[in-house]
Amino acid sequence: MKDLDINFPLNKFEKLICDIGWESLTDWFNYWNNQKNIFSIDQYWSNKVNDDWIWGLALPLLSQAYKFQNNFSDRKIIGISALPGTGKTTLGKWLEAISLKLNFKIAVISIDDFYLPSDEMKLAIKNNPWNVSRGFPGSHSVKLMQEKLFNWKLNGELNVPVFDKSLRNGLGDRSHWRSDNPDLLIIEGWFLGIKPFASDINYQHINSAMFSPHESSYRYIIQENLYKYLDVWNLIDNIWHLKPLEFEYMNIWKTNQEKEMLLQKGNALQEEKLSNFLRMLNISLPHESFDDINSYALLLIDKGRNLVEVGLNL
């Protein structure tokens, strides 16, 4: 891998590759290096993607999906937990396309696809302190999500809603339903795998001076809402966690993501709506929650979204 533009240490990375099932990093690299013709990177990533994302994330994740498909009789779900704007949606499109060239089918869905329908959403988000239209735990059809994931594990039939963030002048809504029969399912989300704090004692002292009284009280509501997601997390066989070195990097990434959506679809979060949404993302959940995700793999990324460490979350 010496000719690639990769800056993360290879010792932890090799342990991950071997845990996935390869004899050595060299064997793994040689295998995928001989498959370069299937990558079709330019077709799925509009901008040139760095080597580290291909070799440090996409191909290891694809390798595990391939192992699950070949070595296990039951259907597996892989989770990708990453903050908004990280690039997980684009990664998902690439994984879906490349898997077909390997003769097995991956479907990538988002917890965002399970946002409540607009009428139910109005009630769920009423009086939230950030005046946002969605996003935090409690704005999803959690029972529907659990049901659809469980049904797919049971019979292989996937039937899920698809959420379009550009509808309703950027407020978003369900646009259609997707029916599919994938061999493996990937689900991604910004708070995927986050668990509620075990007690009020642990929670109430965390950065409480930063928030208004309304925000502080609403954060307790969100903690209660998180309990509803635990049955969904339990259906996920393992999680790959893309974690920034500093939480605040997300503000830049999310802002750029909305600018891109505005160019492509004509609607996106802007100005005050964007500021409010970023405020919600920054404080609705304690940052410490993201340290406790029970992930299989942990990938640390810098401000430029370069991978600086990839390995097992030991």
Side-chain angles (χ1 to χ4, degrees):
M1 299 178 72
K2 61 183 179 180
D3 297 327
L4 299 174
D5 183 18
I6 286 174
N7 296 310
F8 55 81
L10 294 182
N11 54 342
K12 286 187 175 183
F13 182 62
E14 182 160 27
K15 288 179 181 177
L16 172 65
I17 296 302
C18 291
D19 194 77
I20 288 172
W22 290 81
E23 287 294 321
S24 69
L25 184 59
T26 301
D27 288 349
W28 177 83
F29 174 74
N30 288 339
Y31 172 81
W32 285 112
N33 204 36
N34 291 330
Q35 305 286 327
K36 271 187 176 177
N37 60 310
I38 72 166
F39 289 0
S40 305
I41 291 167
D42 295 338
Q43 187 177 346
Y44 305 105
W45 265 296
S46 55
N47 301 317
K48 185 183 182 301
V49 66
N50 291 342
D51 287 340
D52 59 352
W53 269 66
I54 293 294
W55 292 95
L57 170 58
L59 291 177
L61 212 162
L62 195 61
S63 299
Q64 185 175 68
Y66 201 51
K67 176 192 175 184
F68 279 164
Q69 171 63 12
N70 289 323
N71 294 3
F72 295 90
S73 57
D74 57 329
R75 297 179 185 89
K76 299 290 187 181
I77 300 176
I78 295 176
I80 300 176
S81 186
L83 292 175
T86 305
K88 53 190 181 297
T89 302
T90 308
L91 170 68
K93 290 177 182 176
W94 186 85
L95 288 168
E96 284 191 344
I98 298 304
S99 72
L100 294 178
K101 297 187 179 185
L102 294 170
N103 297 317
F104 77 105
K105 188 174 187 179
I106 293 174
V108 183
I109 62 176
S110 172
I111 63 173
D112 289 358
D113 289 320
F114 293 92
Y115 277 136
L116 293 162
S118 54
D119 289 344
E120 293 178 50
M121 184 73 87
K122 287 176 186 175
L123 292 174
I125 64 168
K126 191 177 180 181
N127 297 326
N128 75 81
W130 310 287
N131 195 30
V132 296
S133 61
R134 61 178 188 268
F136 50 81
S139 56
H140 302 86
S141 302
V142 186
K143 284 187 178 179
L144 180 68
M145 194 182 339
Q146 181 191 359
E147 174 192 317
K148 294 301 183 182
L149 296 188
F150 181 78
N151 284 349
W152 174 78
K153 280 205 162 192
L154 203 62
N155 58 35
E157 295 176 7
L158 186 70
N159 182 35
V160 294
V162 177
F163 190 86
D164 187 339
K165 295 176 184 177
S166 69
L167 296 178
R168 294 197 302 142
N169 293 317
L171 295 177
D173 207 350
R174 289 181 185 174
S175 59
H176 61 283
W177 285 72
R178 171 184 179 179
S179 295
D180 213 339
N181 296 91
D183 300 303
L184 183 132
L185 186 62
I186 293 177
I187 183 167
E188 52 93 348
W190 79 271
F191 62 88
L192 188 140
I194 292 285
K195 296 177 181 178
F197 271 82
S199 71
D200 292 345
I201 297 172
N202 291 334
Y203 182 60
Q204 64 189 4
H205 296 295
I206 294 178
N207 302 328
S208 58
M210 292 173 53
F211 317 122
S212 71
H214 190 189
E215 287 174 329
S216 293
S217 62
Y218 207 86
R219 276 161 52 101
Y220 281 104
I221 295 173
I222 287 176
Q223 287 296 306
E224 288 300 312
N225 288 338
L226 277 172
Y227 283 100
K228 302 171 187 175
Y229 292 78
L230 296 182
D231 287 338
V232 174
W233 304 162
N234 288 334
L235 289 171
I236 299 172
D237 292 280
N238 63 34
I239 293 173
W240 291 57
H241 183 194
L242 278 71
K243 186 180 180 186
L245 294 175
E246 300 288 342
F247 196 95
E248 292 71 25
Y249 298 162
M250 180 267 301
N251 296 323
I252 300 168
W253 303 339
K254 178 61 178 173
T255 300
N256 290 337
Q257 182 187 60
E258 293 298 322
K259 286 179 181 176
E260 187 69 26
M261 190 163 73
L262 185 64
L263 287 172
Q264 291 181 356
K265 297 194 173 184
N267 277 311
L269 296 172
Q270 299 180 75
E271 299 173 349
E272 186 180 2
K273 286 183 178 179
L274 178 57
S275 297
N276 290 344
F277 202 82
L278 290 174
R279 175 76 177 170
M280 178 276 294
L281 291 171
N282 275 279
I283 69 170
S284 59
L285 292 168
H287 295 185
E288 290 82 355
S289 299
F290 295 86
D291 298 330
D292 296 329
I293 293 175
N294 183 24
S295 62
Y296 168 73
L298 179 63
L299 302 94
L300 301 180
I301 47 183
D302 66 15
K303 193 174 184 178
R305 293 192 296 188
N306 303 299
L307 290 173
V308 296
E309 188 174 296
V310 181
L312 295 165
N313 186 23
L314 301 174

